[in-house]
Amino acid sequence: MTQPKQPTNYGALGTLVTVFFFWGFIAAGNSVFIPFCKHYFHLDQFQSQLIDFAFYTAYYIGALALFAYGAFGGKDLVGKWGFKNSIVYGLLFSALGAAAMIVAVNGNSFGGMLMGLFIVALGFSLQQTAAQPFAISLGDPATGTSRVNLGGGVNSFGTSIGPLVVAFALFGTTAAITDEKIAALSLSKVIQLYMFVGILFIGAAAMFYFSKKVPSGKLLEKTEKANKALYTLLIMTVLLVVMFVPVFDSYKTDLTNATADEKHAMESYRLKWLIGALLVVVAGLIIANTSARKKPEGWGAMQYPQLVLGMLAIFVYVGVEVAIGSNLGELLRQESFGSHSASEATPFIVMYWGSLMIGRWTGAISAFNLKKNTKTILQFVVPLVAFGILIGINTLAKYNMKPLYFYVICVLVQIAASYLSKDKPARTMLIFSLLGIVAMVIGLMTTGTVAIYAFLSGGLVCSIMWPCIFSLAIAGIGKYTSQGSAFLIMMILGGGIIPPIQGKLADIMGIHQSYIIAALCFGYLAFFAFAVKGILKKQGIDYDAEVSSGGH
């Protein structure tokens, strides 16, 4: 007998997706804030990257702290508070971070600003740990991926307009930000910006708290202690610190008068330690799951191979998504890629991050109860409309978008891939991962517009991966869902390790060739898609069949 589908709580979902918008809006706004800090505090390029490093590290620390509480206390904190209150508390914590930013700006303290951003992202960590499984729980599990995709689509819209809104708030224009404009920026403008951000966080918390449509989302089941998993993660954290210290410490070395060989040796030295950090994560998780499968007691969610492989997938996915975008500016400066200045490169970078919005808007269609024909039409129309919006918004912002008109060909390929995927998470992951490998290989083997489009299409490929990985990783883990969610959020750390590895590799072998890192990342994601389907089937879960039969 077929079980009745659980109806989607659209009222709660509508409230929830506003939080997804904030994550994208604030994180993307950092791209405007970084050059201001670099100029105002006289930072070098590495020091300016500490802003993103502080941001991504906070996700790891926040999720680890949540898990540690549950491991020692035997109760999942997010489950105890409920998804609703956890998001409210997370928003208020982020508002505290905005207040810390204001104090730091007043005190002319770059370290204080980093701490403020760290606190903002700690709040985001709590929000994301609750929001992902919450979105899945607000309707039929078979359509959970689509609801997370809807949140991701709104998040990407925030990512797309965030830099423009922040630039307008600080500089009164959305046109290219010059060094002269940055030098003339008043600190009072930065203070006003973060006052506004803090008020937004508090307003969102109030809206969420007082909304009667949003259920509490409390999980009353007692969580089994997972001390073995906790000790493993703590050991990994200590080893990561050990790996990062030489990387940071080596930047104190004055290489102004160094020879080319000496500079090359130093870059190789830094790369080795960064690769060491990567190996700590990979080896730590593999050893943990191997031990957990032999004796599950004390390992919690880590006893499930789909969760551990999913943790590595999130680590790799976030890493490759950030790495492609972070290195585009340098790539476009190369003669074989058009020798673009910073302002000329902006439209391409905007289109890369906008590609995430295009893909996620397409994936979000399935979150709504639509007729098959209507859904088919929208899967073709929505991505083209999203592409048109990106072109239109940035044209109004006085950027030259003409070189990107033919990028619509890549959007059409993405539309075809969406049709072939048939809303099946494992199949979707496999198809888009293989497309990612093909795109990166094309980019590596060519130059000019073809290569640029190939690398930009990495955004289209990455767009659907977060919800697919998340849904597949927590499938069948039952009472460990919140714990597994915290583990997955922890792996956002990939955004702080993989991009620097590509950056160091670029110093050694060239920025173009460094994109081999992206191809390797998509290779692992294809492996995850292939392996996880078989793992779930062995546990009696045919996730693709459930999604297919769910009908929407």
Side-chain angles (χ1 to χ4, degrees), residues 35 89 121 141-142 146 186 247 388 441 522:
Y89 298 153
S146 299
S186 166
V247 176
V441 170
F522 285 123

Side-chain angles (χ1 to χ4, degrees), residues 331 444 455 502 505-506 509-518:
L331 181 77
L444 285 163
F455 290 134
Q502 181 175 344
L505 199 62
M509 61 189 296
I511 186 68
H512 186 192
Q513 290 74 22
S514 74
Y515 273 83
I516 186 67
I517 292 290

Side-chain angles (χ1 to χ4, degrees), residues 326-344:
S326 296
N327 288 286
L328 270 177
E330 183 62 27
L331 181 77
L332 293 166
R333 286 175 55 189
Q334 307 306 306
E335 186 177 348
S336 55
F337 285 84
S339 302
H340 296 285
S341 65
S343 59
E344 290 170 342

Side-chain angles (χ1 to χ4, degrees), residues 19 46 129 152-153 209 273 337 421 519:
V19 182
F46 173 76
T129 301
Y209 181 77
W273 286 104
F337 285 84
S421 299

